[in-house]
Amino acid sequence: MAISSKQDFLVSAKSSEISSHKLCLYLACTLLEQHQDVVDIRNLSLVYTLAGVDCIDCAADLAVVSAVNDGIESARDIVGLRRPWVMISVNDDEDLHFRKAEFDPEDCPLDCSRPCEIVCPASAISLNEGNSTLEVSDGTDASRVLKGGVITERCYGCGRCFPICPYDNIRAVTYIRDTTATADLIKRNGIDAVEIHTSGRQSAFFEKLWDGLGDSISHLRLIAVSLPNVGDSTISSMNTMYSIMEPNLPCFNLWQLDGRPMSGDIGRGATRESIAFAVRLAAVKDRPPGFLQLAGGTNAHTVDGLKKMGLFQTTSITKNPKDEILTASLPNSLHALIGGIAYGGYARKIVGRVLSSMQSQYGVARIEDYPEHLLEALREALALVGTVKSYDPF
């Protein structure tokens, strides 16, 4: 369909409004946890709000949260959609989602083929030749070196650049979100949920974080815990964490099954591990209360894989009239196991291509000011979201 003006886009976008039948389709994209390029965050939030996601996950940073909310409200100015929840992410210990790449480009040889630039899905590495700040021996000239390096705001710690560097120059810098600052941020308007990333192995770290959040959790609609598959101890870890939360849990809770962290854009094999994690939990009867959601390795192949395993939710869902977010009890049934899918790197990648194209033509811009790019981005987003929401993109 050709779009010749913003008005044409508005008409076509309105025709695509379809109600959800899932609990949550999280946009856990690099808005998420670490990405702090606020212009991209704002535009991604706008596009995926129009596409119908139920929750947008982002870094626990005021500027990032403001960018997400600006994107959401700008989308709602275009089409009168339900506002998705805004979630911030925190971690109780070192976690793959809370790291960034770092290296000194002057340590790189000029003739390096720069595979890190090529492999980076976030275009977060930029290298160019420049003059060294060090004087050469005669003091009259400057040697040529590489300049630039990692664009910190864009890096989300996927780790693809670490093993590919031929000189082993790239290192990971990890960090843990400050609990007090997070609690203060939650108390501001515009945050609906928190996602706690945990290894599932150290309940003491989890308890310390939970206690540190204090009464701020009373402001929330959802608490999500993201954890990897730790084998036989997974269920006992989940039950321990739930026992810590339960006395002071004022809202819904959700378990995000991080099958293969930070790998959603690399093919069918990545999503198999996420589905296998869900299949394993489906057979366990003593798992703690809470919705279950897939993450880590989720991509365009995930829904088909879930359907093949009988894990794709299609029944037993009711709507909460107040919030218009779908809610339901979670029976011990394969057919009602998965309440949502979190798309991270893959969701960011497919729309990010459009944003990069727009930026190369027009510089920093609001995507709604360029309807042809907005429609292209929305087509990409709808193709993904539609697999979960069970509608076809226009």
Side-chain angles (χ1 to χ4, degrees):
M1 177 178 178
I3 299 296
S4 58
S5 69
K6 184 179 291 187
Q7 182 61 37
D8 290 338
F9 171 77
L10 298 183
V11 172
S12 62
K14 285 179 182 292
S15 69
S16 71
E17 292 185 60
I18 299 178
S19 61
S20 165
H21 77 277
K22 304 299 291 179
L23 165 68
C24 284
L25 171 69
Y26 279 165
L27 169 61
C29 49
T30 296
L31 314 172
L32 160 113
E33 289 117 10
Q34 293 200 66
H35 191 70
Q36 293 176 321
D37 184 327
V38 293
V39 176
D40 268 4
I41 289 170
R42 185 253 182 211
N43 286 332
L44 281 164
S45 298
L46 184 152
V47 170
Y48 277 103
T49 297
L50 289 176
V53 298
D54 296 317
C55 186
I56 298 177
D57 183 11
C58 66
D61 177 272
L62 180 58
V64 172
V65 172
S66 297
V68 171
N69 277 303
D70 182 55
I72 290 172
E73 293 309 316
S74 295
R76 297 178 73 208
D77 287 342
I78 296 173
V79 181
L81 300 168
R82 172 187 52 78
R83 179 185 181 274
W85 288 354
V86 175
M87 170 182 279
I88 58 172
S89 284
V90 297
N91 54 326
D92 65 0
D93 196 9
E94 290 188 4
D95 186 275
L96 291 178
H97 298 84
F98 294 82
R99 65 178 183 177
K100 292 181 181 288
E102 181 180 270
F103 68 94
D104 185 345
E106 295 193 17
D107 292 337
C108 304
L110 282 175
D111 61 354
C112 179
S113 61
R114 308 176 192 177
C116 57
E117 274 189 314
I118 298 170
V119 77
C120 180
S123 301
I125 298 177
S126 177
L127 294 167
N128 298 285
E129 285 192 38
N131 292 327
S132 172
T133 57
L134 299 176
E135 293 184 353
V136 296
S137 57
D138 62 5
T140 60
D141 197 3
S143 61
R144 301 293 288 176
V145 295
L146 288 179
K147 294 285 190 178
V150 178
I151 304 169
T152 303
E153 294 80 6
R154 298 192 65 83
C155 175
Y156 64 94
C158 70
R160 288 170 178 74
C161 61
F162 300 145
I164 206 169
C165 175
Y167 304 99
D168 199 26
N169 283 342
I170 306 175
R171 57 192 174 274
V173 179
T174 60
Y175 59 95
I176 299 176
R177 295 289 182 190
D178 181 79
T179 307
T180 301
T182 300
D184 291 341
L185 184 60
I186 291 171
K187 293 176 183 178
R188 294 173 176 264
N189 291 329
I191 296 174
D192 305 286
V194 164
E195 181 178 349
I196 301 172
H197 287 261
T198 182
S199 68
R201 293 185 175 92
Q202 295 286 342
S203 61
F205 293 156
F206 183 87
E207 186 169 15
K208 181 180 179 181
L209 171 59
W210 182 256
D211 291 343
L213 293 177
D215 63 355
S216 68
I217 62 172
S218 64
H219 295 255
L220 301 173
R221 300 178 179 184
L222 178 73
I223 299 287
V225 177
S226 178
L227 73 162
N229 187 349
V230 292
D232 293 341
S233 63
T234 300
I235 295 299
S236 62
S237 295
M238 291 171 66
N239 280 311
T240 298
M241 287 185 284
Y242 186 77
S243 68
I244 292 169
M245 294 189 297
E246 185 179 21
N248 192 29
L249 185 64
C251 56
F252 295 113
N253 75 294
L254 178 148
W255 303 98
Q256 182 161 286
L257 312 181
D258 204 355
R260 188 168 168 182
M262 310 296 285
S263 61
D265 58 345
I266 59 175
R268 192 181 299 274
T271 205
R272 290 196 186 106
E273 293 185 41
S274 181
I275 294 171
F277 193 3
V279 169
R280 180 173 176 271
L281 286 186
V284 177
K285 297 187 181 299
D286 62 345
R287 61 181 181 267
F291 295 102
L292 300 185
Q293 173 171 278
L294 263 66
T298 54
N299 52 38
H301 306 290
T302 303
V303 170
D304 284 344
L306 286 173
K307 288 179 177 178
K308 289 178 181 178
M309 301 306 299
L311 298 176
F312 190 67
Q313 172 71 66
T314 56
T315 59
S316 302
I317 289 291
T318 59
K319 180 173 284 190
N320 181 326
K322 179 180 178 182
D323 298 319
E324 297 184 11
I325 291 286
L326 301 187
T327 60
S329 59
L330 187 67
N332 287 321
S333 165
L334 285 177
H335 302 291
L337 177 64
I338 300 303
I341 302 174
Y343 291 108
Y346 185 76
R348 182 185 55 259
K349 179 181 178 180
I350 60 176
V351 172
R353 290 191 291 254
V354 181
L355 297 182
S356 295
S357 174
M358 181 183 71
Q359 187 173 7
S360 67
Q361 293 181 57
Y362 306 110
V364 176
R366 304 187 314 166
I367 192 168
E368 67 270 33
D369 292 336
Y370 299 93
E372 69 279 9
H373 289 283
L374 177 53
L375 180 58
E376 184 182 357
L378 186 55
R379 286 185 186 278
E380 295 284 358
L382 283 169
L384 177 63
V385 176
T387 63
V388 180
K389 299 284 190 173
S390 295
Y391 58 76
D392 296 321
F394 61 85

